[in-house]
Amino acid sequence: MEAPVTDTNRTESTHDVDLDKVRSEILSKYPTKVARKRAKQILVKPGGAGTDIPEIGANVRTVPGILTQRGCCYAGCKGVILGPTRDVINIVHGPIGCGFYAWLTRRNQTRPASDDSPNYMPYCFSTDMQDENIVFGGEKKLKQAIQEAYDIFHPQTISVFSTCPVGLIGDDIHSVCREMKETLGINIFGFSCEGYKGVSQSAGHHIANNGIFQHVVGLDDTIRGGEFRINLLGEYNIGGDAFEIERILDECGISLISTFSGNSTMEQFANSHTADLNVVMCHRSITYMAEMMEKKYGMPWIKINFIGARATAQSLRKIAQYFEDDSLTARVEEVIAREMPAVNEAMEANRPLCEGKLAMLFVGGSRAHHYQELFSELGMKTMAAGYEFAHRDDYEGRQVLSSIKVDADSRNIEELSVEQDPDKYRLRKTEEELTSTGQIYREYDGLIADMKPNTFVIDDISQYETEKLIEAIKPDVFCAGIKEKYIIQKSGVPMKQLHSYDYGGPYAGFKGAINFYREIARMTNSKVWSYVKAPWEKEPELTATYAAA
Amino acid sequence: MLLRHTPTEITDRKALMINPAKTCQPIGAMYASLGIHGCMPHSHGSQGCCAYHRSTLTRHYKEPVVAATSSFTEGSSVFGGQSNMLQAIDNIFTVYEPDIISVHTTCLSETIGDDLTQIVKKAYDDGKVPEGKHVIYAPTPSYVGSHVTGFSNMCKGIVSGFAEKTGEQKNQMNIIPGFVEPSDMAEVKRLATEMGVKTVLFPDTSGVLNGPQTGRYHMFPKGGTTVEELKSTGDSMGTLALGSFASSLAAKFLDTKFKVPCRVLPLPIGLVATDRYIDTLRKFAGVTVPDSLTFERGQLVDVMTDMQQYLYGKKVALFGDPDQLIALTEFLVTLDMVPVHIVTGTPGKEFESTIADLTRDSPVPVNIKSHGDMFQLHQWIKNEPVDLLMGNTYGKYIARDEDIPFVRHGFPILDRVGHSYFPTVGYRGGLRLLEQILSALLDRKDRDSSEESFELVM
């Protein structure tokens, strides 16, 4: 049988590739100033035990013309954080594009309580600014748009998102929102998330956190749920991830008061301050919220991870550990014991198909780390990883927070000053009580700590760098997003979208792990790659090419 | 119900656009630029636009879509984006080595008033553009028109950047195919070639956005109109602009500047429009129509004759881009079908009058709207139900809620393949469209018929 051409092309000793040499080759192509800048954002994790975590350049402006993966502040605010909430009408104040592109393109699934409860997610609302609105201002049109949205839909909440031109022409969306809130008597608030703010989606996360915290969290003090009440922060229910997590928590007897913001409602956000613990999935996008809630309401937070079966089990145990309740601990162990046989069966079935293969992950601000769990469960090694827009703490761990300098490009992103709420503050556990639970709170060690020695960590990777990595390391699967998908597949490398999951999922939790094992086994073993070359291209030129090379 | 909040009662809206039937200019410009060989589109604005435009084109074509951006920060938004663009041009030529950079703008750089002419001149003056390489540009403010306008503006940017007149007329026709699929562009060209007419077709995304899997990625694929061809457009015998919204601007530019006479025709979708394209080309270029094309035409008329009973009087709702809708409406009328609700998001009064003209013999009142949205279309459908819905992927929500047979047509199609490989223009394209329409209607008939009336043969 003929070997697939893509396999014969692979270097046998990929593990021995000299990454420092690859790195200098990459940098040598850039103009001097660009090379100097990129050098800080491309590092090779040193070998040996006890080595310090190296410093990486992150959350700095994008090099113009370099072909970045990054998006903008508006995408981070509207697209990521507020997009998944079903009972709010999100009006995009701007020309039509921003609203159109964020319309149903992130797979935030949602499950309304009944057939007539609000779900505005399939809709796209925009003020569709025209040139006369740029010239004479768009406030009047925005006000009218809010009125029309109210008249047609009668929502409980309307929010407004600024796009690039709004800040420039000086429309004051916040005063329009205040005025309309008063007139209509529903909650209306805005986000100044113009696309040029900050250097990436990250600024938009921060702005969204601030907005929800100021305008929604704490509005409803009703105590809901059972004994063990948590919020899940930074889980957006792509492909049903949150549904699977909800299922598991439910089986453990843990009450989920709110999720920020997969399968969420404004009602849940309003009530979220009544929970007793915040658990953080996506550290980058939502830790602002966790920190503000701790300060104002006295609720501690822990970093958890529901991607990977082992990580899911460990996260459940961490939650149980916080509550220090034997029955909960027993229930959690019971659930883990019940779920793991199917997981192990799938792992064993798929591991032989994947073992020893190489992965690369360049995704957003959290998945490039979390998904390494799933690959390691399959016996695969992550050779390179990085984020589009994470900050140094997501790479190096939160201990570096105090040494991070905010540069000129991000200085204008508002940092809220938060005080203890005189009425609603309730210290859940003192520092001593937290310590005695035997785990560490408010901590995240970052991506680099989990990378193996002699691997690449690259921030804000460019198209050119992606191609060079593929050429040098020849991964068996490359994870990134839709813009990268077909470029990478044209190079003969299977590509897994870890934003949209290629329209599959869920990948979180126990069932998600099973889905992912099968998916990666399929991708790395599909026959299709063996048909890339036509028979007449395979022989005899192939041999001749190799002889010449 | 997915669109459970859409009421049947229609109220007047002046400010709120809901479920648009258009998107913004730059994506059209990016698409047009991809139809030039060796070209890197460049988005002069903040990087979110570029990411969104690339993503949408990628989702539609399932192909690599590469473009660069000036990556504005707040500082550049206040003080101007000149230095961002100069850096970008330097980096793009150094790292990616395209032959051409094709710059378009966004609402950001347009609002702050960056002067592309001046910045591009400075790039040349500062030596940032290597010998033999080019930078062309077009302003594409997102708050004017739609993605179709952006395509049109970039087509003009392409000819104003390249076209020359040497004084020696070339025995060739320029054809601007409009904002259509790569498969349509190839088909428009094939028909002309079949007639023995030498053409310069631009932009031409065939071979760029429907390329092969070879195991090797090429950032600049073989397809696309070449610089040499584009330069020669000033010497051509004439220009055929297909689709007035997308193509007439560039054609008129060539006419005004280089006296290359132009004809603007509707897109050659369906029988009559294809007849018009072929016949105009015949007269313009002075050639005879080969039997092979008359044969293809006859095949289309044959299927129309054979399947007429399933089409006659069927009501259709349509949304999409104006050039496509004008041609589709004419085709549907030709098929004895009845287009009743027709919406484009693209502004332009010409659209409404053209459609009104095409449907003047309609047995029922026809709703027509330019600069409209799909929310209104849905309300119209609730008030006056239809037998078929045609439009881009976003139509699937209405189709599911109202249980209407649905044919995907236009941009973007995010959930099916085929559009980039099989044309809907020309007689063969007409056959494909007809097949899609019939399959949708007959699948529905099969699904809905009782067991005793379930037919083997139709």
Side-chain angles (χ1 to χ4, degrees):
Chain A
M1 211 183 90
E2 278 173 304
V5 67
T6 44
D7 278 352
T8 54
N9 276 343
R10 289 189 200 294
T11 321
E12 291 293 306
S13 52
T14 304
H15 294 73
D16 305 328
V17 174
D18 182 349
L19 298 191
D20 289 305
K21 196 165 151 240
V22 175
R23 180 174 178 273
S24 348
E25 276 171 19
I26 286 174
L27 293 172
S28 69
K29 176 99 175 176
Y30 287 127
T32 323
K33 266 174 72 181
V34 177
R36 206 177 306 139
K37 187 166 181 216
R38 291 302 301 152
K40 294 181 190 148
Q41 292 171 274
I42 304 175
L43 58 89
V44 176
K45 170 144 181 189
T51 350
D52 284 344
I53 301 285
E55 181 176 332
I56 191 165
N59 192 34
V60 290
R61 67 169 67 168
T62 315
V63 177
I66 201 165
L67 296 200
T68 177
Q69 299 180 311
R70 282 178 172 176
C72 66
C73 179
Y74 158 82
C77 184
K78 155 68 166 80
V80 173
I81 311 275
L82 266 298
T85 308
R86 63 177 172 264
D87 60 347
V88 54
I89 286 194
N90 289 327
I91 300 179
V92 180
H93 187 38
I96 199 65
C98 307
F100 181 85
Y101 303 115
W103 180 20
L104 293 166
T105 47
R106 287 179 64 84
R107 300 181 58 234
N108 312 112
Q109 299 186 0
T110 202
R111 196 179 278 155
S114 69
D115 287 345
D116 51 7
S117 55
N119 176 17
Y120 302 110
M121 282 171 63
Y123 293 89
C124 166
F125 304 96
S126 169
T127 56
D128 184 31
M129 285 175 101
Q130 300 296 301
D131 42 1
E132 66 265 22
N133 307 128
I134 300 291
V135 177
F136 302 110
E139 289 182 17
K140 236 176 96 182
K141 192 172 192 185
L142 174 60
K143 203 181 294 179
Q144 173 75 16
I146 293 172
Q147 182 70 52
E148 289 172 4
Y150 179 77
D151 292 342
I152 298 171
F153 300 99
H154 303 289
Q156 288 301 306
T157 318
I158 295 177
S159 68
V160 174
F161 300 83
S162 294
T163 61
C164 285
V166 171
L168 299 173
I169 63 173
D171 273 3
D172 184 351
I173 63 156
H174 303 289
S175 74
V176 172
C177 288
R178 273 193 303 272
E179 190 190 326
M180 292 309 286
K181 180 179 178 171
E182 204 143 294
T183 312
L184 302 174
I186 61 165
N187 200 2
I188 303 179
F189 48 90
F191 297 88
S192 290
C193 54
E194 285 85 351
Y196 55 74
K197 289 205 169 151
V199 297
S200 67
Q201 291 94 312
S202 180
H205 302 150
H206 198 163
I207 290 166
N209 275 251
N210 291 351
I212 306 172
F213 186 74
Q214 282 177 299
H215 297 287
V216 188
V217 172
L219 292 180
D220 172 13
D221 296 329
T222 321
I223 301 293
R224 296 195 173 88
E227 210 177 333
F228 313 111
R229 298 152 12 84
I230 68 166
N231 299 315
L232 175 58
L233 304 192
E235 162 50 58
Y236 302 100
N237 200 22
I238 306 289
D241 275 354
F243 294 150
E244 165 67 359
I245 299 170
E246 286 167 19
R247 178 187 73 86
I248 297 169
L249 293 175
D250 197 46
E251 289 192 17
C252 292
I254 299 166
S255 301
L256 190 58
I257 303 305
S258 75
T259 301
F260 285 73
S261 51
N263 190 31
S264 67
T265 61
M266 283 287 158
E267 286 175 1
Q268 291 163 6
F269 294 163
N271 191 233
S272 60
H273 65 296
T274 64
D276 288 321
L277 176 70
N278 275 327
V279 303
V280 173
M281 268 287 276
C282 172
H283 176 261
R284 179 67 271 133
S285 63
I286 208 80
T287 309
Y288 313 99
M289 181 65 71
E291 289 178 324
M292 293 189 288
M293 279 170 77
E294 177 153 28
K295 261 195 194 158
K296 188 166 179 180
Y297 301 108
M299 195 188 318
W301 67 272
I302 46 171
K303 175 76 181 72
I304 48 84
N305 173 23
F306 286 114
I307 303 296
R310 288 191 297 239
T312 299
Q314 203 186 338
S315 296
L316 293 173
R317 290 183 178 123
K318 282 175 84 170
I319 295 169
Q321 216 175 330
Y322 167 79
F323 286 105
E324 299 179 287
D325 180 281
D326 292 343
S327 70
L328 177 63
T329 307
R331 188 93 185 258
V332 161
E333 290 305 329
E334 212 175 282
V335 170
I336 295 170
R338 200 162 62 222
E339 298 283 334
M340 282 311 283
V343 172
N344 287 331
E345 194 185 316
M347 203 191 295
E348 272 153 38
N350 292 292
R351 198 173 162 116
L353 296 164
C354 302
E355 191 119 44
K357 292 191 170 169
L358 306 179
M360 291 189 181
L361 297 85
F362 291 92
V363 202
S366 104
R367 291 190 173 109
H369 183 193
H370 290 159
Y371 275 78
Q372 294 189 27
E373 293 274 351
L374 279 167
F375 283 116
S376 78
E377 286 168 2
L378 285 168
M380 290 175 67
K381 183 181 176 189
T382 300
M383 281 298 295
Y387 297 125
E388 283 173 55
F389 50 72
H391 300 195
R392 277 184 57 206
D393 45 318
D394 304 290
Y395 285 105
E396 300 170 48
R398 286 177 64 87
Q399 71 278 1
V400 301
L401 273 173
S402 57
S403 66
I404 295 178
K405 291 185 221 55
V406 180
D407 70 11
D409 294 322
S410 300
R411 199 163 296 143
N412 287 345
I413 310 303
E414 191 188 9
E415 217 31 93
L416 293 185
S417 67
V418 178
E419 307 277 323
Q420 265 191 27
D421 190 293
D423 306 318
K424 300 180 182 177
Y425 184 86
R426 181 165 59 83
L427 186 66
R428 272 46 170 203
K429 283 182 191 232
T430 63
E431 282 307 312
E432 293 72 42
E433 285 167 335
L434 288 176
T435 313
S436 78
T437 61
Q439 62 177 322
I440 302 166
Y441 293 80
R442 314 171 192 102
E443 204 41 86
Y444 174 50
D445 290 337
L447 171 146
I448 298 176
D450 279 346
M451 295 291 290
K452 297 266 186 303
N454 199 37
T455 52
F456 266 121
V457 180
I458 303 181
D459 179 62
D460 187 17
I461 194 170
S462 71
Q463 171 53 32
Y464 163 70
E465 291 157 16
T466 304
E467 285 174 44
K468 285 306 216 187
L469 283 194
I470 289 175
E471 201 180 292
I473 300 173
K474 300 180 172 57
D476 298 279
V477 63
F478 192 107
C479 305
I482 185 66
K483 300 191 295 299
E484 295 77 35
K485 168 106 185 162
Y486 302 101
I487 299 179
I488 287 153
Q489 291 199 165
K490 287 275 202 250
S491 317
V493 175
M495 196 286 181
K496 181 71 202 163
Q497 292 187 62
L498 280 191
H499 297 276
S500 73
Y501 299 167
D502 291 312
Y503 324 104
Y507 295 148
F510 300 111
K511 290 191 173 161
I514 295 171
N515 289 338
F516 195 77
Y517 303 152
R518 288 182 182 145
E519 181 68 356
I520 296 304
R522 168 190 71 77
M523 294 186 78
T524 55
N525 291 279
S526 166
K527 282 194 282 297
V528 70
W529 302 105
S530 68
Y531 306 126
V532 168
K533 294 282 174 228
W536 50 92
E537 290 174 309
K538 284 184 188 173
E539 309 247 356
E541 287 87 344
L542 196 62
T543 337
T545 315
Y546 272 121
Chain B
M1 298 290 256
L2 287 157
L3 301 170
R4 61 177 68 169
H5 301 290
T6 304
T8 306
E9 190 205 339
I10 299 173
T11 47
D12 192 31
R13 278 179 290 129
K14 288 189 175 64
L16 186 67
M17 170 78 78
I18 313 172
N19 300 356
K22 66 164 178 180
T23 183
C24 66
Q25 283 210 36
I27 195 171
M30 189 181 281
Y31 181 59
S33 301
L34 291 165
I36 310 174
H37 180 71
C39 179
M40 172 79 80
H42 181 81
S43 169
H44 186 52
S46 55
Q47 66 207 7
C49 314
C50 185
Y52 275 137
H53 301 145
R54 290 180 61 195
S55 298
T56 304
L57 288 168
T58 304
R59 289 181 180 120
H60 177 81
Y61 289 108
K62 320 289 181 211
E63 287 287 313
V65 173
V66 165
T69 160
S70 293
S71 293
F72 274 54
T73 56
E74 190 154 13
S76 22
S77 306
V78 176
F79 301 111
Q82 170 169 299
S83 97
N84 290 58
M85 190 156 124
L86 293 175
Q87 276 181 56
I89 288 172
D90 191 20
N91 289 333
I92 295 165
F93 279 128
T94 307
V95 180
Y96 297 104
E97 304 170 24
D99 297 328
I100 304 151
I101 296 173
S102 170
V103 183
H104 60 261
T105 56
T106 68
C107 46
L108 175 55
S109 52
E110 286 295 327
T111 303
I112 65 177
D114 269 0
D115 180 354
L116 288 188
T117 310
Q118 180 259 321
I119 302 176
V120 169
K121 182 172 179 301
K122 187 160 168 54
Y124 278 97
D125 292 348
D126 292 359
K128 304 271 190 208
V129 185
E131 197 60 34
K133 307 260 178 173
H134 312 269
V135 179
I136 61 167
Y137 57 92
T140 52
S142 314
Y143 43 77
V144 175
S146 74
H147 56 296
V148 181
T149 322
F151 180 90
S152 162
N153 283 336
M154 187 45 81
C155 287
K156 185 187 163 193
I158 291 168
V159 281
S160 59
F162 288 118
E164 294 172 357
K165 195 169 188 79
T166 62
E168 200 175 319
Q169 202 190 60
K170 284 206 163 70
N171 194 20
Q172 65 184 25
M173 286 290 296
N174 300 327
I175 300 183
I176 310 174
F179 196 155
V180 294
E181 298 287 336
S183 46
D184 294 323
M185 295 186 182
E187 181 65 2
V188 161
K189 191 161 180 153
R190 183 188 70 87
L191 291 172
T193 308
E194 198 95 339
M195 292 171 72
V197 179
K198 187 167 180 283
T199 58
V200 174
L201 183 101
F202 73 92
D204 183 1
T205 56
S206 62
V208 179
L209 290 168
N210 57 3
Q213 168 66 279
T214 62
R216 200 158 286 256
Y217 169 62
H218 298 282
M219 183 170 279
F220 306 105
K222 284 198 179 114
T225 320
T226 64
V227 170
E228 281 315 303
E229 288 174 308
L230 291 170
K231 283 185 176 170
S232 76
T233 52
D235 289 331
S236 296
M237 292 151 47
T239 305
L240 268 191
L242 304 180
S244 66
F245 282 82
S247 304
S248 63
L249 192 66
K252 283 177 184 156
F253 174 85
L254 285 172
D255 197 338
T256 315
K257 181 133 189 215
F258 300 115
K259 303 278 176 288
V260 180
C262 76
R263 280 291 298 276
V264 182
L265 294 179
L267 286 177
I269 294 174
L271 182 74
V272 181
T274 305
D275 285 350
R276 205 180 286 124
Y277 168 63
I278 302 276
D279 208 39
T280 307
L281 202 54
R282 173 179 75 95
K283 289 173 185 160
F284 219 136
V287 292
T288 50
V289 179
D291 290 347
S292 58
L293 293 187
T294 313
F295 184 86
E296 281 179 27
R297 181 184 190 278
Q299 288 179 316
L300 175 58
V301 181
D302 191 51
V303 177
M304 286 165 64
T305 320
D306 296 345
M307 304 307 273
Q308 214 262 340
Q309 72 194 81
Y310 301 109
L311 304 167
Y312 189 89
K314 291 284 187 299
K315 287 182 186 161
V316 190
L318 302 162
F319 66 95
D321 298 342
D323 293 330
Q324 273 79 358
L325 292 180
I326 288 167
L328 274 179
T329 301
E330 185 177 38
F331 187 34
L332 295 173
V333 169
T334 316
L335 295 171
D336 295 316
M337 298 177 86
V338 185
V340 285
H341 312 303
I342 306 152
V343 170
T344 184
T346 300
K349 286 288 160 214
E350 170 198 344
F351 173 80
E352 291 182 10
S353 57
T354 308
I355 299 277
D357 209 32
L358 289 167
T359 55
R360 66 182 176 274
D361 298 329
S362 178
V364 294
V366 182
N367 291 312
I368 309 165
K369 186 90 200 277
S370 74
H371 204 176
D373 59 29
M374 290 173 64
F375 185 76
Q376 174 153 28
L377 178 79
H378 191 178
Q379 291 184 306
W380 278 340
I381 291 172
K382 281 176 180 288
N383 285 286
E384 174 69 46
V386 293
D387 304 298
L388 182 71
L389 174 67
M390 294 179 79
N392 68 34
T393 287
Y394 283 98
K396 75 193 278 183
Y397 290 79
I398 298 176
R400 182 181 151 124
D401 275 3
E402 305 300 329
D403 198 16
I404 314 169
F406 178 42
V407 170
R408 287 168 180 77
H409 190 269
F411 178 84
I413 294 172
L414 308 171
D415 60 339
R416 295 290 188 274
V417 294
H419 47 277
S420 57
Y421 302 103
F422 308 109
T424 57
V425 300
Y427 302 121
R428 286 184 182 173
L431 269 179
R432 175 165 183 258
L433 259 179
L434 195 47
E435 184 215 356
Q436 288 181 313
I437 291 170
L438 281 162
S439 294
L441 294 174
L442 296 178
D443 280 350
R444 171 55 49 90
K445 197 170 156 64
D446 277 341
R447 194 199 77 183
D448 289 349
S449 61
S450 62
E451 289 193 1
E452 60 271 26
S453 62
F454 190 67
E455 297 289 340
L456 179 73
V457 184
M458 286 199 267

